[in-house]
Amino acid sequence: MTYVDAALATLTERDAHPAEVEAFRRRLEQLAKPESAVVPGEELSEVGDLPALDDLGEPDDAAARDALDRLAVIKLNGGLGTSMGLAGPKSLLEIKPGTSFLDAVARQTLALRERHGARLPLLVMNSEGTREPSLAALRRHEGLEDPELPLDFLQGSEPKLRADDWHPVSWPADPRLEWCPPGHGDLYTALAASGTLEALLAAGVRWCFVSNSDNLGAIPDVRIAAWMAEQGVPFALEVARRTPMDRKGGHLARRDGALVLRETAQVPDGDDSFTDIERFCFFNTNNLWFDLEHLRTLQQADPAAPYLPLIVNKKTVDPTDKSSTAVLQLETAMGAAIGSIEDARAIEVPRSRFAPVKTTDDLLVARSDLYDLTDDGRMEPTRADFPVVDLEKARFGMLDDFERRFAGGAPSLARASSLTVSGDVTFGSDVAVEGDVTVEGPRHVDDGETLRG
């Protein structure tokens, strides 16, 4: 039995939807073509000028309401926050006292509905591990659910493949570790497989705005919604200007004249073009918009549509045991659809629409006075440029350690240029940081102390 047959047999034993089977088949076939998983810089060119959000016209009240009435918001919510030591949904982490990511998303949605008198349904793409607690949290917000639509749908899963022969891995010690999500490019397949795509269209929803649940800058902008409707745009990706801090995230480029998205895993060994932020000056915010009717048409012709380049993620079957069997996880990125959907667009947006929390460094920034949480769930930055925060991963990287070391709350960073912390350091309450500050342990920073560079 070939690796393709073996892997597909393992998937179909779980009664996978035909769309899931075809999407996985495509990834398996791409795996045999090494050139499909790499994008050399020499094949790419600069993007050039793009339309900017700030240049889009403000729609009148009727156009705004009509656009939002036919728009659904989807939040990617499958992550368990294991990189920060969490066992539950990362989106239930508090960003401000008493308010989690999902609380803020719910408040944003309800406020937009009230402001524009629009329907604007909210859905989350969950994993099995995030589903129950996330739905419980969202249902605490009265009036959030749409009576015609589900509040969530599930992302798919696929077998991990042995790195040596590409057959499905066996791990009797914990069979759950034999499976993995296929990256957020699974969104399109999951919409079809769950029946959510047809449910949205039947309910009169035409467009979707999709973003990560941990990015509180990603609020539906009525200007983009109205522009999509007026221009008949099938797909749009929000991108922002790269800075030296953005050398890892996917960047936009042109390949044979068409827009493409390149991720770090697609860069050939020895190719240093990825970090050239002057040449490739736009990064992917992972905020995107698409036409549901166009997606259905694509999937009627090809159940695995849209075509997405393969990303091969090399890991061990047990992520906590580096001596366990080496595996490949076949993934795709949802933003890469920009390279295969005809007339897909990219739009330049302000960096304020990209404010994710991926590490405890980001969490400290979010909890500090660099952001104010408004009554309508928006995280408003209090200054234009942010300091660089670098907390020692060994002592601050896990949430429990982070909370213990900042038991008095986040210090004031309003006048900070940078904050670097290493060693055994704890902070009291009402601490302030000014200028470029480095703190080395062992040390306790007293209540009310001001650290000056």
Side-chain angles (χ1 to χ4, degrees):
M1 182 181 289
T2 69
Y3 77 93
V4 174
D5 294 333
L8 290 177
T10 300
L11 182 63
T12 53
E13 285 174 5
R14 281 200 168 189
D15 296 323
H17 188 276
E20 294 176 310
V21 174
E22 290 309 308
F24 189 39
R25 184 195 304 277
R26 173 172 289 163
R27 290 190 288 276
L28 290 166
E29 292 172 348
Q30 288 172 319
L31 181 60
K33 304 172 183 176
E35 69 278 5
S36 70
V38 296
V39 183
E42 62 191 26
E43 297 180 7
L44 303 177
S45 59
E46 298 175 12
V47 170
D49 293 333
L50 293 174
L53 173 59
D54 291 339
D55 294 334
L56 299 184
E58 193 77 39
D60 60 32
D61 291 344
R65 183 170 56 254
D66 180 64
L68 294 184
D69 263 341
R70 295 186 290 162
L71 179 73
V73 177
I74 296 178
K75 293 291 181 177
L76 306 184
N77 192 53
L80 290 175
T82 52
S83 63
M84 285 193 280
L86 299 177
K90 178 182 172 185
S91 57
L92 296 186
L93 188 62
E94 284 193 349
I95 46 163
K96 295 290 186 182
T99 301
S100 70
F101 288 101
L102 284 186
D103 290 329
V105 167
R107 285 160 58 179
Q108 291 169 1
T109 304
L110 291 169
L112 278 168
R113 289 178 187 173
E114 182 177 358
R115 185 179 309 141
H116 296 284
R119 181 182 185 183
L120 194 65
L122 171 69
L123 299 86
V124 292
M125 185 170 82
N126 277 318
S127 62
E128 290 284 2
T130 63
R131 182 173 224 175
E132 187 174 334
S134 295
L135 289 179
L138 288 171
R139 284 176 174 143
R140 288 197 288 268
H141 295 269
E142 186 176 352
L144 186 64
E145 288 189 77
D146 188 295
E148 295 183 56
L149 293 167
L151 188 52
D152 87 325
F153 60 100
L154 283 177
Q155 67 184 29
S157 61
E158 66 185 24
K160 297 177 183 178
L161 307 181
R162 292 178 57 96
D164 55 2
D165 62 8
W166 299 352
H167 280 63
V169 71
S170 175
W171 197 248
D174 187 351
R176 293 173 301 176
L177 295 178
E178 298 170 1
W179 295 81
C180 63
H184 48 65
D186 178 57
L187 166 71
Y188 310 107
T189 303
L191 281 170
S194 65
T196 305
L197 174 59
E198 289 302 326
L200 286 165
L201 288 167
V205 177
R206 176 69 185 271
W207 291 276
C208 276
F209 169 60
V210 186
S211 61
N212 295 334
S213 61
D214 69 354
N215 180 10
L216 292 178
I219 301 175
D221 192 298
V222 70
R223 292 171 293 177
I224 302 179
W227 171 71
M228 293 280 293
E230 180 185 353
Q231 298 282 326
V233 178
F235 180 96
L237 182 67
E238 295 186 25
V239 297
R241 294 275 173 175
R242 291 174 90 191
T243 71
M245 294 176 61
D246 305 310
R247 294 179 182 272
K248 291 184 179 180
H251 73 73
L252 198 65
R254 289 193 183 275
R255 192 180 198 180
D256 299 325
L259 290 171
V260 295
L261 181 65
R262 182 169 68 156
E263 303 286 347
T264 52
Q266 296 172 295
V267 181
D269 292 340
D271 186 337
D272 61 0
S273 64
F274 194 89
T275 56
D276 188 343
I277 64 174
E278 298 299 324
R279 181 181 174 199
F280 303 121
C281 61
F282 294 109
F283 76 90
N284 170 29
T285 65
N286 228 34
N287 305 340
L288 56 84
W289 305 69
F290 60 89
D291 181 337
L292 290 165
E293 288 189 2
H294 190 79
L295 176 62
R296 179 169 64 179
T297 299
L298 290 175
Q299 291 181 338
Q300 285 171 342
D302 173 10
Y307 179 88
L308 301 172
L310 178 66
I311 299 172
V312 179
N313 203 342
K314 299 178 181 179
K315 295 195 173 187
T316 54
V317 64
D318 182 348
T320 66
D321 181 2
K322 300 306 178 186
S323 66
S324 62
T325 305
V327 296
L328 305 180
Q329 295 182 193
L330 308 187
E331 302 179 4
T332 56
M334 65 180 186
I338 196 170
S340 63
I341 295 178
E342 186 175 356
D343 201 29
R345 316 276 184 91
I347 182 168
E348 182 181 352
V349 299
R351 194 179 181 88
S352 57
R353 290 185 62 78
F354 182 72
V357 174
K358 301 298 184 187
T359 65
T360 52
D361 297 355
D362 301 330
L363 183 60
L364 187 69
V365 170
R367 288 183 175 179
S368 77
D369 53 2
L370 292 172
Y371 280 104
D372 287 333
L373 179 66
T374 64
D375 290 340
D376 58 2
R378 290 177 296 112
M379 287 283 278
E380 290 282 1
T382 58
R383 54 184 264 193
D385 59 328
F386 280 6
V388 175
V389 172
D390 185 7
L391 308 176
E392 182 185 310
K393 297 297 178 285
R395 287 185 167 87
F396 291 84
M398 297 293 105
L399 184 66
D400 286 348
D401 294 333
F402 172 87
E403 299 280 21
R404 179 173 57 83
R405 293 179 181 280
F406 289 104
S412 168
L413 300 176
R415 301 180 66 181
S417 301
S418 67
L419 172 63
T420 302
V421 185
S422 62
D424 184 8
V425 181
T426 56
F427 289 76
S429 59
D430 300 318
V431 173
V433 179
E434 297 182 2
D436 291 300
V437 170
T438 296
V439 186
E440 297 179 352
R443 179 178 177 182
H444 175 71
V445 181
D446 294 328
D447 295 353
E449 186 173 345
T450 297
L451 304 172
R452 294 184 174 88

